[in-house]
Amino acid sequence: MTDERGAELLRGGGGSHRATFLELFLDVVFVFAFTRVSQRLITDVATGGERLPLELAQTLFLLLALWMVWSLTAWATSHYDPEQPPIQAVMVGSMCGSLVMAVSVPDAYGPHGLSFAAGYVSIQLGRSIYLTVALRRHSQRHLSSRIVVWSAVSAVPWLVGGLVGEDLRLLCWGLALAMDYLGLVIGWPVPRLGRATATAWTVTGEHLAERYQQFTIIALGEMIFVAGVGFSGSDFTLLRWIGLLDAFATTVLLWRIYFHRAGSVLVEAVAEARQPARLGRSATWTHLTMIAGIVTAAVGYEVAIAEPGGHADAVRVAAIVGGPALFVVGRARFEYEVFGRVSRSRVIGLLLLVLGVPLLSRLPLLGIAAGVTAVLTGMAVADALRARGRPPERPASPM
C-alpha cells in the first residue's frame, strides 16, 4: 500500500524544474571545498618528492568523496521535491556535513581525518535513513533503504580510516570509496530487494542537467579564484600579469568549449531521452572527468603565475597540460552522450596537447600555459566556424 504522505515527497509532473535557492546555497559550500582541494594540489606540486604519487592519490580521494556527496544530493533533489520541508532538511544537513568536510580537507590525512570521515558518513548515511523513514510505506523507500545498507558498510572503513595513520588511512578510504562508487554503478544490490535499476530513479531530467551545468560553472569560478589569490599574494610583475590574463582566457575558453552545443542543450537532451536516468548517470562520470580537469588546470595556472619563468619539470608540465587535456577527454565523451558523435576538433586538440608535451617542456612555465591556451583557442575557433550559418543542432543521444 502506497503512503500518500510519502508520495508528497516525490516530484510530480507540475511545478518548477529549476534549481532552488537552497541548492545554490549548497553550491557555495562546494566553492570553498574546491579551493581547499586546489590548495592541497598546489602544495603537492610545490613540494614534490618521493611521496608525490601518494599525496596525489590522497587529494584525488578527497575530490571523489566531495563529488559523491554533491552528485547524490543533486540526484536526490531531482527525484524528490526540494520544496518539501523534509527534503529541505536533507539539503541543510548535507550542507552542514559538506562544510565539515571542506574545513577538514587541508589536514584530512593528519589530525582532521576523523572529522572529514564523520562529515561524509553523516551525509551519506543520515540522508538515506531520513528518507527511508520519511517515505514511510511508499515503494520508493526501497531505493533509499538499499543505499542505507551500502553506506552503513562503507562507513566502517571511513571511520576506521579517520583513526589510523596516514598510509593506512589512504588504504581504508580507498576501500570505502571503491564500495561507494561500486554501489552507485551496480545499483546498491541487497538481499531480497535486488538492485535499483536506472529506471528506478524517476529523475526530473531538466533539473538534473541544470545542476551539472551549475556545478561546472562553480569549478570554473574556482579556477579564477585560485589564480586571483595566487596573483594577489605575489609581486605585480609584467610576466605575472600575463600569466593572470592567460589563466582568465583559459577559463573563458573552457566555458566556451563546454557550453558550445552540447553543454547548452544538455537540458533538452536529458528531457528527450527515453531513459533520462541512464543519460544522467553517464553524465555523472563525464562531469567528474571534466571537473577533475578544471581543478588540475587551476593548480597548473597558479603555479605558472607564481613562477612564470620557472623550470618545467614533469609534475608542473603534467598540471598545466594534463588538466586541460583531461577536460577535453571528458568533453569529447560529453559530446557523444548528447549527439552520438565526437568533433574532429576535440580529437585534434587532444593530440596536440599530448604530442606537444616534449616541445612544450622546453619552454618556461608561462610559455607552456600560453601553448595550452593556443590549442584551446584553436578548438573554440573551429567550433565557431563549424556552427556558422547552420541551425542549432538538436540532441541525438545514443542513450
Side-chain angles (χ1 to χ4, degrees):
M1 178 178 178
T2 299
D3 193 304
E4 293 183 359
R5 289 174 296 178
E8 292 177 353
L9 300 182
L10 302 176
R11 278 186 179 267
S16 174
H17 294 162
R18 303 299 301 273
T20 63
F21 291 119
L22 190 56
E23 291 174 270
L24 299 178
F25 196 14
L26 171 69
D27 291 346
V28 173
V29 177
F30 277 87
V31 171
F32 172 67
F34 268 24
T35 61
R36 300 298 87 197
V37 173
S38 294
Q39 288 302 317
R40 276 192 61 95
L41 273 175
I42 291 170
T43 302
D44 294 342
V45 171
T47 56
E50 296 180 355
R51 288 185 57 82
L52 179 60
L54 287 176
E55 291 169 352
L56 293 177
Q58 291 175 354
T59 305
L60 175 61
F61 286 1
L62 300 179
L63 177 62
L64 289 175
L66 289 166
W67 175 254
M68 174 64 76
V69 167
W70 184 90
S71 59
L72 281 187
T73 303
W75 276 75
T77 54
S78 191
H79 183 67
Y80 304 103
D81 185 359
E83 298 292 346
Q84 293 291 329
I87 307 305
Q88 291 178 339
V90 170
M91 291 291 298
V92 172
S94 298
M95 194 184 311
C96 181
S98 299
L99 180 60
V100 172
M101 293 174 65
V103 299
S104 304
V105 163
D107 291 315
Y109 289 89
H112 300 158
L114 185 58
S115 61
F116 183 89
Y120 180 89
V121 170
S122 66
I123 297 171
Q124 298 295 88
L125 191 57
R127 175 179 54 218
S128 302
I129 292 175
Y130 184 85
L131 288 173
T132 301
V133 174
L135 286 167
R136 297 177 175 86
R137 294 188 299 274
H138 195 280
S139 59
Q140 286 293 319
R141 75 185 186 279
H142 295 309
L143 182 59
S144 56
S145 62
R146 290 182 179 93
I147 303 177
V148 168
V149 175
W150 278 73
S151 297
V153 174
S154 71
V156 176
W158 272 115
L159 296 176
V160 170
L163 297 171
V164 297
E166 181 177 346
D167 292 338
L168 285 177
R169 184 171 302 171
L170 182 65
L171 291 175
C172 289
W173 286 1
L175 173 62
L177 279 170
M179 294 172 59
D180 288 336
Y181 275 89
L182 177 63
L184 177 63
V185 171
I186 64 177
W188 305 282
V190 297
R192 298 182 63 182
L193 293 179
R195 68 184 184 92
T197 61
T199 55
W201 288 94
T202 53
V203 297
T204 305
E206 298 92 327
H207 173 270
L208 187 61
E210 185 181 73
R211 295 297 289 139
Y212 286 138
Q213 292 171 333
Q214 291 166 344
F215 202 74
T216 303
I217 291 295
I218 288 172
L220 292 172
E222 185 270 344
M223 184 172 177
I224 292 178
F225 180 86
V226 170
V229 170
F231 177 82
S232 62
S234 61
D235 295 332
F236 285 19
T237 64
L238 176 60
L239 288 180
R240 288 197 173 103
W241 273 112
I242 295 174
L244 177 65
L245 294 176
D246 188 54
F248 176 76
T250 297
T251 306
V252 173
L253 287 167
L254 294 178
W255 162 80
R256 170 65 179 172
I257 292 170
Y258 173 82
F259 279 100
H260 178 76
R261 295 300 198 223
S264 61
V265 299
L266 177 60
V267 173
E268 290 83 354
V270 177
E272 295 175 8
R274 284 177 294 179
Q275 293 186 7
R278 183 184 176 195
L279 177 55
R281 181 176 294 182
S282 179
T284 297
W285 308 111
T286 299
H287 281 77
L288 173 59
T289 303
M290 289 189 285
I291 296 301
I294 293 172
V295 171
T296 305
V299 173
Y301 277 83
E302 197 278 342
V303 170
I305 292 171
E307 302 179 55
H311 174 65
D313 59 31
V315 176
R316 289 172 171 81
V317 172
I320 298 173
V321 180
L326 187 59
F327 173 86
V328 173
V329 169
R331 181 57 178 76
R333 174 182 164 86
F334 183 40
E335 188 172 6
Y336 176 78
E337 290 170 337
V338 175
F339 295 119
R341 59 159 175 78
V342 177
S343 300
R344 285 180 296 179
S345 62
R346 308 283 174 259
V347 178
I348 295 173
L350 182 60
L351 288 175
L352 288 174
L353 289 173
V354 175
L355 299 180
V357 167
L359 177 61
L360 291 174
S361 299
R362 301 177 182 179
L363 302 175
L365 296 181
L366 184 57
I368 298 173
V372 171
T373 304
V375 173
L376 296 176
T377 300
M379 195 179 302
V381 170
D383 290 343
L385 292 176
R386 187 177 65 251
R388 187 173 60 180
R390 296 182 180 181
E393 188 176 3
R394 296 295 307 167
S397 175
M399 299 182 180

